[in-house]
Amino acid sequence: MNSDKISHHISEQFNKELQDVRNKVLVMGGLVEHQLALAITAFTSGNVEIADQVIRRDSEVDVLEMTIDRECSEIIARRQPTAFDLRLLIAVIKIVREIERAGDKAVRIAQMAIRVSGVDGQYNHQYELEHMADLIKEMVHLSLDAFARLNIDEVTGITGRDANVNREYENILRRLITRMMEDPRNMARVLDVIWVARALERVGDYACNICEHLVYIVNGLDVRHLSHEEMQERIAGNSTDDVSRIRS
Amino acid sequence: MNSDKISHHISEQFNKELQDVRNKVLVMGGLVEHQLALAITAFTSGNVEIADQVIRRDSEVDVLEMTIDRECSEIIARRQPTAFDLRLLIAVIKIVREIERAGDKAVRIAQMAIRVSGVDGQYNHQYELEHMADLIKEMVHLSLDAFARLNIDEVTGITGRDANVNREYENILRRLITRMMEDPRNMARVLDVIWVARALERVGDYACNICEHLVYIVNGLDVRHLSHEEMQERIAGNSTDDVSRIRS
């Protein structure tokens, strides 16, 4: 075997490893999307069994996070990648953290579902969250989809939705505070709904963070801490680089 | 110059780079400790000027995060470190993220301070937070100090405090909900105090996360997602490795 063949073999093996890491991120992302959807259903319907299921499956999310994280470190140590490959591996370490945090919020929502279900069923404010939950589920899905394709074309379209989420969150908060003032006896229960709205709002932030890490992978730009407009400009001013090799 | 000297020179230069990264983390940590203390003062005293100052300085925290993050990636690409050095660099990328999140909470608390100060001053519930704020400031300080010394002896002592924080948070929540029920007109204002308590509780989690990343640096163990007891056992069962070289 000549050295060309060996290096070709090594690079093929290396590409496989990177592809494997990316696939695991998508599995983890899919699981957390599922967890979020179930947690929201459990909360809005008061179904304790579904909530229990979300709590039980959280350890799978944790294991995936730790596995992917370890694999990235091992690949960095063994392959000593640079440029796009190194950016991918470092960003994946950050992305799995965001996904794991979203998974944690699913668990918190499931725990709230169990708590709320134990209270007298006279009041139901959970439906207040439905629109916001739809916005969040979509943001998470789109950000993971963009990562799957390593494509940043839609990124500012996704992060731009965060303003809608924040507006919706403020609306929910205003409505629920009014409810609490009208009937303070029901306060603890309404507060739980507010907590869940807050948790969902945070998940929207995690989806935005995933998008920012994706921009770093694709064109090496750090677009954190920018306004929506600054981010759009920064991305527009840059062409993507060696992404074609791995995007397939 | 013989190759021994060159490699000695390279390794000395490399150590300097690692030391420089660590120092920057400590500068960033010190800044965020300061931001948190000021934000809490602004909130409990209603001092808007201090709150403004916290908000203005947040960009310094962001710049430090991005600088350290970039330097770590560059060192990994250029030096191709393994073992302890690689763990340090990867963990630092994670640690600056935790510190930055704590800095974000300081800004949120400062924003709340401004909002609360604008409301009629008839009620003051901010003092409710004083004990919790002290607990949190101490946890953040101790976790950064442990990182400064790359010493994990105190780590479970720090993370063990989180249970106290959570208990204190639940106490505050109960007291404030009672207040709101007694006087619903004051609700929005009390809710702001609850938000701040919640933000502080999260900062305690970030301090614990820093400790977990530190364990990974020092002995290569991933102690995330463990109970306090499991973490104690896991750390006790492991001796530290090549930490002496860089600890000084």
Side-chain angles (χ1 to χ4, degrees), chain A residues 65 69 80 94 195 225, chain B residues 65 69 80 94 195 225:
Chain A
E65 182 201 9
D69 197 308
Q80 312 192 321
K94 295 173 179 175
W195 292 144
H225 311 303
Chain B
E65 183 202 8
D69 198 308
Q80 312 192 321
K94 294 174 181 176
W195 291 145
H225 312 303

Side-chain angles (χ1 to χ4, degrees), chain A residues 84 87-99 101 143 147 150 152 155 159 205-225 231, chain B residues 65 69 93 97 100-101:
Chain A
F84 176 87
R87 291 204 304 273
L88 175 74
L89 291 163
I90 287 176
V92 161
I93 289 174
K94 295 173 179 175
I95 286 171
V96 293
R97 182 82 173 137
E98 308 290 348
I99 298 175
R101 280 180 205 261
S143 65
F147 172 78
L150 292 176
I152 61 169
V155 151
T159 58
D205 292 338
Y206 305 150
C208 291
N209 295 342
I210 291 172
C211 289
E212 291 169 3
H213 298 316
L214 179 59
V215 171
Y216 173 74
I217 296 174
V218 172
N219 61 18
L221 291 177
D222 190 341
V223 292
R224 292 176 293 182
H225 311 303
M231 186 171 165
Chain B
E65 183 202 8
D69 198 308
I93 289 174
R97 182 84 173 135
E100 189 268 336
R101 280 179 206 262

Side-chain angles (χ1 to χ4, degrees), chain B residues 64-171:
Chain B
L64 272 166
E65 183 202 8
M66 293 194 292
T67 306
I68 296 167
D69 198 308
R70 192 184 56 240
E71 284 183 10
C72 286
S73 298
E74 282 169 3
I75 297 173
I76 293 172
R78 197 160 18 85
R79 301 288 187 185
Q80 312 192 321
T82 56
F84 177 86
D85 299 332
L86 180 59
R87 292 204 303 273
L88 174 74
L89 291 163
I90 287 176
V92 162
I93 289 174
K94 294 174 181 176
I95 286 171
V96 292
R97 182 84 173 135
E98 307 289 347
I99 299 174
E100 189 268 336
R101 280 179 206 262
D104 270 352
K105 296 296 181 201
V107 171
R108 293 294 285 265
I109 294 169
Q111 286 165 340
M112 290 287 177
I114 293 170
R115 216 165 84 169
V116 169
S117 76
V119 187
D120 172 32
Q122 197 174 356
Y123 304 94
N124 184 334
H125 305 288
Q126 289 93 308
Y127 68 88
E128 290 281 359
L129 300 178
E130 280 172 7
H131 178 53
M132 185 170 182
D134 287 342
L135 290 175
I136 294 301
K137 282 190 273 191
E138 195 169 43
M139 276 179 80
V140 172
H141 184 74
L142 290 173
S143 65
L144 291 170
D145 186 58
F147 173 78
R149 295 179 295 114
L150 291 178
N151 184 321
I152 61 169
D153 295 348
E154 310 295 334
V155 150
T156 55
I158 302 165
T159 57
R161 288 160 191 250
D162 205 40
N164 300 340
V165 169
N166 292 339
R167 244 194 319 273
E168 180 62 16
Y169 171 69
E170 293 295 335
N171 287 340

